[in-house]
């Protein structure tokens, strides 16, 4: 069983310009803009990237942190994107894709409804980048 939602509240403080929260539903810029933000600002309190070869505890912890961070109004998670920083002064993010986007999307929505003490509202959008599937997960703030 996973810990309560508040046990994974993130301590990160940087925000991303351009992120908007309306009526508890996160509106996020398109994938291309999010990748640009990652490359210029790196991961922060409202934006993270994960390989996501399968739904695991790390993804659920991030969703929990986005939903519970006071004053931020949620966040966005890019699944199928990895950080590459070997030998680089500044990290780069590249698209690796997710192997089974439909299954991952359904599992993610199901887990967010059942794993936490209170169901967490997420919106999941599937897009393609470099001919690879990427999932954009918008998490509404609590």
């Amino acid at each position: 069983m996973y810990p309560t939602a508040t046990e994974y509240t993130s301590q990160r403080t940087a925000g991303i310009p351009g992120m908007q929260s309306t009526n508890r539903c996160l509106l996020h810029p398109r994938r291309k803009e999010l990748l640009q933000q990652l490359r210029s600002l790196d991961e922060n309190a409202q934006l993270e990237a994960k390989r996501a070869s399968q739904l695991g505890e790390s993804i659920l912890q991030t969703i929990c942190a986005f939903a519970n961070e006071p004053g931020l109004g949620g966040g966005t998670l890019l699944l199928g994107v990895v950080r590459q920083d070997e030998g680089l002064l500044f990290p780069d993010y590249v698209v690796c894709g997710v192997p089974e986007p439909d299954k991952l999307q359904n599992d993610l929505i199901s887990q967010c409804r059942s794993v936490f003490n209170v169901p967490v509202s997420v919106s999941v959008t599937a897009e393609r980048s470099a001919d690879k599937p990427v999932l954009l997960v918008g998490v509404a703030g609590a």
Side-chain angles (χ1 to χ4, degrees):
M1 187 71 186
Y2 291 97
T4 64
T6 54
E7 289 179 28
Y8 282 116
T9 301
S10 169
Q11 299 302 313
R12 297 165 290 182
T13 57
I16 292 187
M19 299 295 286
Q20 302 171 356
S21 181
T22 304
N23 198 21
R24 292 183 47 94
C25 181
L26 188 70
L27 305 174
H28 48 77
R30 303 213 17 97
R31 168 203 35 84
K32 187 175 182 178
E33 294 170 8
L34 290 168
L35 283 170
Q36 285 178 315
Q37 288 178 358
L38 277 171
R39 289 175 177 143
S40 62
L41 301 173
D42 204 4
E43 292 180 318
N44 58 63
Q46 289 184 298
L47 179 63
E48 283 199 24
K50 297 201 180 284
R51 178 179 304 274
S53 54
Q54 62 182 347
L55 180 60
E57 189 172 333
S58 175
I59 292 171
L60 294 173
Q61 289 174 0
T62 300
I63 288 170
C64 185
F66 284 158
N68 286 292
E69 186 70 35
L72 291 181
T76 302
L77 182 59
L78 274 76
L79 302 180
V81 176
V82 293
R83 179 181 171 153
Q84 293 196 336
D85 57 359
E86 284 187 38
L88 299 175
L89 182 58
F90 300 101
D92 190 19
Y93 287 84
V94 295
V95 174
C96 63
V98 292
E100 297 178 76
D102 292 335
K103 180 182 182 325
L104 183 61
Q105 182 174 356
N106 291 333
D107 289 350
L108 181 62
I109 291 170
S110 174
Q111 291 284 323
C112 286
R113 288 182 184 151
S114 64
V115 168
F116 304 111
N117 292 346
V118 175
V120 175
S121 176
V122 295
S123 64
V124 182
T125 305
E127 294 193 13
R128 293 193 78 72
S129 180
D131 207 29
K132 297 174 185 171
V134 175
L135 295 180
L136 306 176
V137 181
V139 182

